[in-house]
Amino acid sequence: MLDFNNLMKSFENGIFRSIGLQPVREYEAGDNVVAYYDWRNNLMVHNGGNPEQLANVEAEYRVSDFLLTWQIATTLNLWDNGNKQTLTFQVGQYVVTDSLVVFQDLRWNTVSVYYNGEVHELIASSFDLHMPEFIGENIVAFKDNGDFYKVFWRGQIYELDVWHNPYIFHGGTDMVAFNDPINGTFAIFENGQFLDVESFHMNNYKVGNGLVVYENLNGDLMMYRNGEISQLTNFGASTWSVRDNVVYWVENGFAYAFIDGQRIDVAKYVPKDFALKNSTLAFRNLMGGVSAVQDGKIVEITNQLDAPFEIYGNSVLVELFNKSYIVLQNGKKYQQ
């Protein structure tokens, strides 16, 4: 976060701290790492310790909740929990997620994935490269040169099937869902296995962390989680979203959520805007301020009108007037 002097601050263990004594040019933050250009135009990384310089020239950088990449010319570099390495000296397209970096290596005409300290080759081609069909937080669904669909998950590759028409995958963490064109079922990949969830294709489905939510043929909102199917709505949902461990939906003008196994009545109105991440839901309350669902409880953070808010980890960061901030963490509010 930046204060009114454009100085960068962090919130760690209940305390607001200054990262530097000079203004920063720009920054991008994830749950556990922040990258920024300091006043000398050095690219820096901060993850709770002392800031570390990554480059002293202009670089394209991308940040996820755990990983940071920076590209100088065609060289793609990676920072992972303090460890630095070069992934390729001739990069094409690439994507950075929480646990993965999926990238084209134009030297060898391959598509590879970095995961947990290792690089795994997914596709090698003599022709034009294509990126995988789906890239999630720790899972990839892709098609090789022989039209063989496969899933990369936790360092292993699992084979699905050969099909000439494209599969459409949706996924999140530890799971992908798809309509199986061969068997005519609605299926998932979970824990190293391909499983049928429904006997028919589903038109609308979204995947979170180990769960998939979908509208069945009757328009009911259903959820598959931990091997069981449950019904979330009786009359259908006018809008619904899924991310990580949170399912949010609006039914008959009321807002509801399902978080970590618990159904929660969020509001007797439709919030103007909301955010989901990990196990936290933040939303615009009836006064125009910000409230959140944390540990199964609804907490009012502020009633300041239209205050911007974001979620980092399971903490909610709210910006007030004059670049001051409130953080809701573990049900307790901290104000700068």
Side-chain angles (χ1 to χ4, degrees):
M1 68 194 83
L2 300 179
D3 67 11
F4 63 93
N5 288 317
N6 229 32
L7 300 179
M8 178 169 288
K9 295 183 178 295
S10 67
F11 178 82
E12 304 166 47
N13 301 319
I15 300 173
F16 290 91
R17 293 183 173 90
S18 295
I19 295 179
L21 300 178
Q22 299 292 337
V24 302
R25 195 184 82 192
E26 61 181 69
Y27 77 97
E28 185 175 348
D31 286 355
N32 297 282
V33 59
V34 57
Y36 63 96
Y37 270 101
D38 67 11
W39 64 286
R40 293 189 178 94
N41 286 327
N42 296 317
L43 179 61
M44 308 292 292
V45 59
H46 173 73
N47 70 328
N50 293 322
E52 179 183 1
Q53 180 178 316
L54 298 177
N56 58 4
V57 296
E58 286 293 324
E60 175 188 312
Y61 64 93
R62 301 181 188 180
V63 176
S64 71
D65 286 340
F66 298 96
L67 303 177
L68 161 64
T69 62
W70 71 101
Q71 180 185 347
I72 301 174
T74 61
T75 299
L76 182 64
N77 304 288
L78 169 71
W79 179 97
D80 181 2
N81 195 30
N83 299 312
K84 294 177 288 185
Q85 69 180 88
T86 297
L87 295 178
T88 175
F89 291 101
Q90 195 170 352
V91 70
Q93 299 179 54
Y94 65 98
V95 173
V96 183
T97 65
D98 280 358
S99 301
L100 308 175
V101 181
V102 180
F103 61 97
Q104 295 176 337
D105 191 333
L106 302 183
R107 296 175 305 168
W108 316 113
N109 220 42
T110 59
V111 176
S112 298
V113 55
Y114 169 89
Y115 170 75
N116 196 28
E118 298 181 348
V119 175
H120 304 263
E121 183 180 291
L122 301 180
I123 304 168
S125 177
S126 301
F127 306 100
D128 292 338
L129 287 175
H130 65 275
M131 290 293 281
E133 277 63 23
F134 171 79
I135 302 171
E137 302 301 345
N138 69 342
I139 193 167
V140 181
F142 65 99
K143 180 179 66 172
D144 69 11
N145 294 328
D147 288 338
F148 210 123
Y149 284 90
K150 302 177 181 180
V151 170
F152 173 89
W153 177 67
R154 297 195 178 188
Q156 301 294 322
I157 293 178
Y158 300 83
E159 296 182 345
L160 174 55
D161 219 326
V162 176
W163 190 249
H164 56 282
N165 290 324
Y167 276 75
I168 305 299
F169 296 98
H170 295 277
T173 302
D174 290 332
M175 181 182 288
V176 292
F178 57 95
N179 286 318
D180 188 333
I182 298 176
N183 298 310
T185 58
F186 176 57
I188 61 168
F189 172 89
E190 180 186 35
N191 295 327
Q193 295 181 303
F194 295 96
L195 306 170
D196 289 335
V197 176
E198 296 282 358
S199 300
F200 302 95
H201 286 180
M202 298 295 114
N203 292 325
N204 197 5
Y205 52 97
K206 301 174 184 178
V207 182
N209 183 359
L211 60 89
V212 57
V213 179
Y214 58 96
E215 291 178 340
N216 66 12
L217 299 181
N218 296 322
D220 300 319
L221 197 63
M222 311 295 292
M223 178 176 64
Y224 171 92
R225 177 176 178 266
N226 293 334
E228 297 181 353
I229 297 174
S230 58
Q231 185 171 329
L232 295 177
T233 68
N234 295 317
F235 305 102
S238 57
T239 184
W240 55 283
S241 296
V242 179
R243 185 177 182 186
D244 297 331
N245 302 317
V246 184
V247 183
Y248 168 84
W249 72 94
V250 173
E251 180 182 354
N252 292 330
F254 289 12
Y256 302 91
F258 182 94
I259 305 175
D260 292 333
Q262 182 180 359
R263 178 187 167 113
I264 300 164
D265 296 341
V266 175
K268 295 181 179 180
Y269 57 90
V270 180
K272 185 174 70 173
D273 53 344
F274 61 91
L276 321 174
K277 193 172 185 183
N278 297 318
S279 295
T280 297
L281 163 66
F283 61 96
R284 190 71 60 195
N285 61 34
L286 201 56
M287 301 298 293
V290 182
S291 295
V293 180
Q294 202 171 74
D295 297 325
K297 299 178 181 178
I298 299 174
V299 181
E300 180 184 282
I301 302 175
T302 180
N303 282 326
Q304 179 182 304
L305 191 65
D306 294 330
F309 60 92
E310 296 178 281
I311 301 173
Y312 293 97
N314 281 304
S315 300
V316 183
L317 174 68
V318 181
E319 181 181 331
L320 304 177
F321 294 119
N322 299 322
K323 291 284 188 177
S324 60
Y325 296 88
I326 295 179
V327 173
L328 177 68
Q329 186 178 73
N330 298 325
K332 184 178 179 180
K333 291 190 286 187
Y334 302 83
Q335 187 163 355
Q336 181 191 17

